[in-house]
Amino acid sequence: MDRKRAPDSQQDGGPRKEARSGTILKMLCPYYSAGAIIGDQGKEIKTIKDDLGVAIQVSKKDVRFPKTDERVVTFQGDCETLKKAIKHVQDLIRNDKPPPSAKNVDVDANEKRKRALKLVVADTSAGRIIGKGGENIKALKEKYTVVVNTSKKGDVTPGLDERVVSVEGDDDEVDRCVTEIVENICNDDKAKMLWRVDYNNLDSGYDDQGYSSRSHYDGYGGGYDRPGYDRSGYDRSGYDRPGYDRSGYGGYSSSPYGRYGRR
């Protein structure tokens, strides 16, 4: 049986704006794994919020990070909370199986995807992670026996000050490496990430809260004050979309990554 999509009023795991504080950090998830993060009727995302004390939202089913077929999970909280929440969500992705309706998902590609944790970070944070001449990213690869790739600055979609950092390897090594990366990001005073970004309309401009007046990105339904939901099933529109990350964010030898990836 397909996963049930949570009501719009339950899909945003983040508290209202005035209650949010801390560092904003994002990660990507395969579109077909979003249901594992949301849970039946929104129970899982509510558990993450309540148990870990983190603000969390998942982009709507028709919203993908640019040049990928992946949805965006946004967190906000203190550094320790972020580390726990990111690991928890990554474990959900690792243990998830595409639902029967998620057709055309390549089994081998899906297993490879589970070995990678993909953070979305501010451009300044990407520079800190790479380091001068790539020295920091090289040290991470050697210390944790992982493959670390970053999207090239020149390949970033105009109007978006965010880049993808992908860490691939054995689960324990990936988790340890990402923990260090998250600590680095939390110490980046120059980093500025927006809670809401309309990834489908980046040229429409943002307001001071980080989203445009025409935004299709309301977190998961835009909060608890929006009634109604789609009872047609989890992410129906995405099931017939082939593969994922067709631009190369899902593959580690593709051109969108910088020269510090796998050789």
Side-chain angles (χ1 to χ4, degrees):
M1 180 180 294
D2 291 349
R3 306 183 186 95
K4 295 180 181 179
R5 186 178 174 221
D8 279 352
S9 59
Q10 295 179 7
Q11 289 173 340
D12 189 345
R16 297 187 181 279
K17 187 188 77 171
E18 61 269 21
R20 291 201 318 267
S21 62
T23 300
I24 295 176
L25 192 54
K26 304 178 184 181
M27 67 185 293
L28 301 183
C29 78
Y31 70 86
Y32 46 80
S33 293
I37 300 168
I38 301 161
D40 186 10
Q41 299 297 303
K43 291 180 181 178
E44 182 62 38
I45 198 169
K46 185 177 186 301
T47 297
I48 295 171
K49 168 186 171 290
D50 292 344
D51 290 358
L52 299 181
V54 68
I56 178 173
Q57 66 179 5
V58 182
S59 62
K60 287 187 174 181
K61 63 183 181 181
D62 61 339
V63 176
R64 305 289 195 270
F65 191 81
K67 302 179 182 179
T68 81
D69 203 10
E70 304 228 353
R71 292 168 73 170
V72 183
V73 184
T74 304
F75 308 91
Q76 187 168 12
D78 61 53
C79 196
E80 291 303 313
T81 298
L82 289 174
K83 288 187 286 188
K84 292 176 182 178
I86 289 169
K87 183 182 185 304
H88 182 85
V89 169
Q90 182 65 16
D91 283 341
L92 292 173
I93 293 173
R94 289 166 177 155
N95 295 323
D96 184 48
K97 294 182 179 180
S101 299
K103 301 176 181 178
N104 300 319
V105 174
D106 186 293
V107 175
D108 292 337
N110 180 51
E111 290 304 310
K112 180 178 175 63
R113 172 63 181 87
K114 290 180 179 182
R115 288 176 53 82
L117 194 158
K118 300 184 183 182
L119 294 174
V120 178
V121 306
D123 182 63
T124 58
S125 297
R128 289 171 62 100
I129 294 165
I130 294 170
K132 185 177 181 180
E135 60 184 10
N136 292 349
I137 207 169
K138 181 180 179 182
L140 288 173
K141 291 163 62 178
E142 293 176 351
K143 183 177 181 180
Y144 298 110
T145 318
V146 292
V147 176
V148 184
N149 291 301
T150 62
S151 52
K152 291 181 179 179
K153 188 171 183 178
D155 289 328
V156 174
T157 301
L160 183 64
D161 189 25
E162 297 179 352
R163 294 167 67 180
V164 176
V165 178
S166 177
V167 182
E168 180 191 11
D170 293 339
D171 292 353
D172 289 344
E173 293 294 289
V174 168
D175 292 340
R176 291 171 59 219
C177 181
V178 169
T179 292
E180 182 170 332
I181 290 174
V182 171
E183 290 174 350
N184 192 345
I185 293 170
C186 290
N187 291 325
D188 182 7
D189 295 333
K190 296 181 180 179
K192 182 181 180 182
M193 297 195 77
L194 301 173
W195 177 255
R196 303 189 196 278
V197 176
D198 186 355
Y199 291 103
N200 286 358
N201 293 280
L202 290 172
D203 59 349
S204 63
Y206 307 149
D207 66 14
D208 60 355
Q209 301 305 323
Y211 54 93
S212 74
S213 58
R214 307 203 311 267
S215 178
H216 295 140
Y217 187 86
D218 273 330
Y220 235 146
Y224 296 108
D225 56 344
R226 294 188 57 174
Y229 66 98
D230 175 11
R231 294 179 180 270
S232 61
Y234 160 70
D235 207 7
R236 181 178 60 181
S237 67
Y239 285 156
D240 59 354
R241 298 184 65 171
Y244 60 94
D245 266 8
R246 285 166 287 191
S247 69
Y249 287 117
Y252 302 97
S253 60
S254 301
S255 60
Y257 283 115
R259 62 188 180 90
Y260 305 112
R262 176 179 292 171
R263 296 181 178 177

Tab-separated table of all heavy atoms in Angstrom, residues 58-80:
chain	number	residue	atom	x	y	z
A	58	VAL	N	9.624	19.837	4.613
A	58	VAL	CA	9.999	19.170	3.366
A	58	VAL	C	9.292	19.887	2.234
A	58	VAL	O	8.103	20.208	2.341
A	58	VAL	CB	9.589	17.677	3.384
A	58	VAL	CG1	10.032	16.982	2.104
A	58	VAL	CG2	10.171	16.977	4.593
A	59	SER	N	10.005	20.157	1.163
A	59	SER	CA	9.395	20.861	0.041
A	59	SER	C	8.237	20.045	-0.526
A	59	SER	O	8.207	18.819	-0.429
A	59	SER	CB	10.427	21.140	-1.054
A	59	SER	OG	10.961	19.942	-1.573
A	60	LYS	N	7.279	20.720	-1.105
A	60	LYS	CA	6.105	20.060	-1.660
A	60	LYS	C	6.492	19.103	-2.784
A	60	LYS	O	7.575	19.168	-3.345
A	60	LYS	CB	5.114	21.103	-2.163
A	60	LYS	CG	4.389	21.837	-1.039
A	60	LYS	CD	3.309	22.741	-1.602
A	60	LYS	CE	2.496	23.368	-0.480
A	60	LYS	NZ	1.412	24.229	-1.016
A	61	LYS	N	5.558	18.236	-3.117
A	61	LYS	CA	5.850	17.139	-4.039
A	61	LYS	C	6.262	17.606	-5.434
A	61	LYS	O	6.956	16.887	-6.140
A	61	LYS	CB	4.646	16.203	-4.157
A	61	LYS	CG	3.399	16.841	-4.740
A	61	LYS	CD	2.256	15.840	-4.750
A	61	LYS	CE	1.001	16.436	-5.349
A	61	LYS	NZ	-0.113	15.459	-5.331
A	62	ASP	N	5.863	18.796	-5.832
A	62	ASP	CA	6.230	19.271	-7.164
A	62	ASP	C	7.446	20.185	-7.134
A	62	ASP	O	7.818	20.772	-8.151
A	62	ASP	CB	5.055	20.014	-7.805
A	62	ASP	CG	4.619	21.236	-7.017
A	62	ASP	OD1	4.930	21.300	-5.806
A	62	ASP	OD2	3.980	22.127	-7.607
A	63	VAL	N	8.091	20.319	-5.975
A	63	VAL	CA	9.243	21.208	-5.841
A	63	VAL	C	10.514	20.371	-5.723
A	63	VAL	O	10.631	19.520	-4.850
A	63	VAL	CB	9.105	22.125	-4.619
A	63	VAL	CG1	10.361	22.969	-4.428
A	63	VAL	CG2	7.884	23.026	-4.769
A	64	ARG	N	11.468	20.618	-6.613
A	64	ARG	CA	12.742	19.915	-6.621
A	64	ARG	C	13.879	20.930	-6.531
A	64	ARG	O	13.760	22.051	-7.006
A	64	ARG	CB	12.924	19.096	-7.906
A	64	ARG	CG	11.813	18.101	-8.202
A	64	ARG	CD	11.843	16.921	-7.247
A	64	ARG	NE	11.032	15.821	-7.733
A	64	ARG	CZ	9.748	15.653	-7.467
A	64	ARG	NH1	9.124	16.543	-6.718
A	64	ARG	NH2	9.080	14.622	-7.939
A	65	PHE	N	14.978	20.500	-5.922
A	65	PHE	CA	16.164	21.348	-5.944
A	65	PHE	C	16.625	21.472	-7.387
A	65	PHE	O	16.610	20.493	-8.138
A	65	PHE	CB	17.278	20.748	-5.082
A	65	PHE	CG	18.423	21.682	-4.843
A	65	PHE	CD1	18.349	22.656	-3.860
A	65	PHE	CD2	19.576	21.600	-5.617
A	65	PHE	CE1	19.395	23.524	-3.648
A	65	PHE	CE2	20.631	22.466	-5.415
A	65	PHE	CZ	20.546	23.441	-4.422
A	66	PRO	N	17.047	22.665	-7.826
A	66	PRO	CA	17.393	22.885	-9.226
A	66	PRO	C	18.379	21.850	-9.781
A	66	PRO	O	19.333	21.468	-9.113
A	66	PRO	CB	18.014	24.290	-9.222
A	66	PRO	CG	17.352	24.974	-8.076
A	66	PRO	CD	17.164	23.902	-7.022
A	67	LYS	N	18.088	21.396	-10.988
A	67	LYS	CA	18.927	20.466	-11.741
A	67	LYS	C	18.990	19.074	-11.098
A	67	LYS	O	19.899	18.298	-11.378
A	67	LYS	CB	20.348	21.024	-11.933
A	67	LYS	CG	20.397	22.371	-12.641
A	67	LYS	CD	21.823	22.870	-12.775
A	67	LYS	CE	21.871	24.233	-13.438
A	67	LYS	NZ	23.265	24.760	-13.551
A	68	THR	N	18.045	18.784	-10.220
A	68	THR	CA	17.959	17.457	-9.626
A	68	THR	C	16.501	17.013	-9.636
A	68	THR	O	15.600	17.791	-9.968
A	68	THR	CB	18.461	17.424	-8.160
A	68	THR	OG1	17.429	17.899	-7.290
A	68	THR	CG2	19.714	18.244	-7.976
A	69	ASP	N	16.281	15.772	-9.243
A	69	ASP	CA	14.924	15.292	-9.025
A	69	ASP	C	14.743	14.971	-7.540
A	69	ASP	O	14.091	14.000	-7.176
A	69	ASP	CB	14.657	14.051	-9.881
A	69	ASP	CG	13.173	13.842	-10.134
A	69	ASP	OD1	12.388	14.758	-9.808
A	69	ASP	OD2	12.792	12.777	-10.643
A	70	GLU	N	15.342	15.797	-6.694
A	70	GLU	CA	15.313	15.566	-5.256
A	70	GLU	C	14.575	16.686	-4.533
A	70	GLU	O	14.643	17.858	-4.912
A	70	GLU	CB	16.740	15.446	-4.717
A	70	GLU	CG	17.549	14.372	-5.422
A	70	GLU	CD	18.281	13.448	-4.475
A	70	GLU	OE1	18.270	13.723	-3.262
A	70	GLU	OE2	18.853	12.461	-4.940
A	71	ARG	N	13.880	16.300	-3.493
A	71	ARG	CA	13.167	17.268	-2.667
A	71	ARG	C	14.089	17.803	-1.578
A	71	ARG	O	15.136	17.219	-1.296
A	71	ARG	CB	11.908	16.627	-2.091
A	71	ARG	CG	10.895	16.325	-3.194
A	71	ARG	CD	9.757	15.449	-2.748
A	71	ARG	NE	8.820	16.155	-1.881
A	71	ARG	CZ	7.643	15.641	-1.524
A	71	ARG	NH1	7.282	14.453	-1.967
A	71	ARG	NH2	6.840	16.315	-0.729
A	72	VAL	N	13.708	18.913	-0.982
A	72	VAL	CA	14.564	19.609	-0.034
A	72	VAL	C	13.985	19.496	1.377
A	72	VAL	O	12.818	19.810	1.605
A	72	VAL	CB	14.706	21.100	-0.411
A	72	VAL	CG1	15.665	21.805	0.547
A	72	VAL	CG2	15.171	21.248	-1.854
A	73	VAL	N	14.825	19.033	2.302
A	73	VAL	CA	14.455	18.983	3.713
A	73	VAL	C	15.203	20.116	4.407
A	73	VAL	O	16.430	20.196	4.334
A	73	VAL	CB	14.832	17.641	4.361
A	73	VAL	CG1	14.335	17.587	5.802
A	73	VAL	CG2	14.273	16.475	3.553
A	74	THR	N	14.482	21.000	5.054
A	74	THR	CA	15.069	22.168	5.710
A	74	THR	C	14.952	22.023	7.224
A	74	THR	O	13.894	21.668	7.741
A	74	THR	CB	14.366	23.460	5.266
A	74	THR	OG1	14.411	23.560	3.837
A	74	THR	CG2	15.049	24.687	5.861
A	75	PHE	N	16.070	22.299	7.910
A	75	PHE	CA	16.110	22.235	9.372
A	75	PHE	C	16.523	23.590	9.931
A	75	PHE	O	17.234	24.340	9.292
A	75	PHE	CB	17.157	21.224	9.859
A	75	PHE	CG	17.062	19.846	9.274
A	75	PHE	CD1	17.767	19.510	8.126
A	75	PHE	CD2	16.288	18.859	9.884
A	75	PHE	CE1	17.699	18.237	7.590
A	75	PHE	CE2	16.226	17.582	9.358
A	75	PHE	CZ	16.929	17.264	8.215
A	76	GLN	N	16.117	23.839	11.162
A	76	GLN	CA	16.663	24.971	11.893
A	76	GLN	C	16.730	24.606	13.369
A	76	GLN	O	15.771	24.110	13.952
A	76	GLN	CB	15.834	26.242	11.715
A	76	GLN	CG	16.506	27.465	12.346
A	76	GLN	CD	15.855	28.769	11.949
A	76	GLN	OE1	14.769	28.782	11.371
A	76	GLN	NE2	16.497	29.881	12.255
A	77	GLY	N	17.908	24.845	13.961
A	77	GLY	CA	18.091	24.529	15.371
A	77	GLY	C	19.530	24.751	15.774
A	77	GLY	O	20.340	25.265	14.993
A	78	ASP	N	19.876	24.344	16.988
A	78	ASP	CA	21.266	24.466	17.413
A	78	ASP	C	22.089	23.341	16.792
A	78	ASP	O	21.552	22.398	16.208
A	78	ASP	CB	21.381	24.459	18.933
A	78	ASP	CG	20.873	23.169	19.567
A	78	ASP	OD1	21.307	22.077	19.172
A	78	ASP	OD2	20.016	23.253	20.475
A	79	CYS	N	23.391	23.436	16.911
A	79	CYS	CA	24.287	22.538	16.183
A	79	CYS	C	24.065	21.070	16.562
A	79	CYS	O	23.991	20.202	15.692
A	79	CYS	CB	25.741	22.947	16.443
A	79	CYS	SG	26.907	22.220	15.265
A	80	GLU	N	23.969	20.777	17.846
A	80	GLU	CA	23.790	19.389	18.286
A	80	GLU	C	22.469	18.823	17.776
A	80	GLU	O	22.396	17.662	17.356
A	80	GLU	CB	23.864	19.300	19.809
A	80	GLU	CG	25.241	19.557	20.381
A	80	GLU	CD	26.290	18.607	19.803
A	80	GLU	OE1	26.019	17.383	19.749
A	80	GLU	OE2	27.360	19.084	19.402
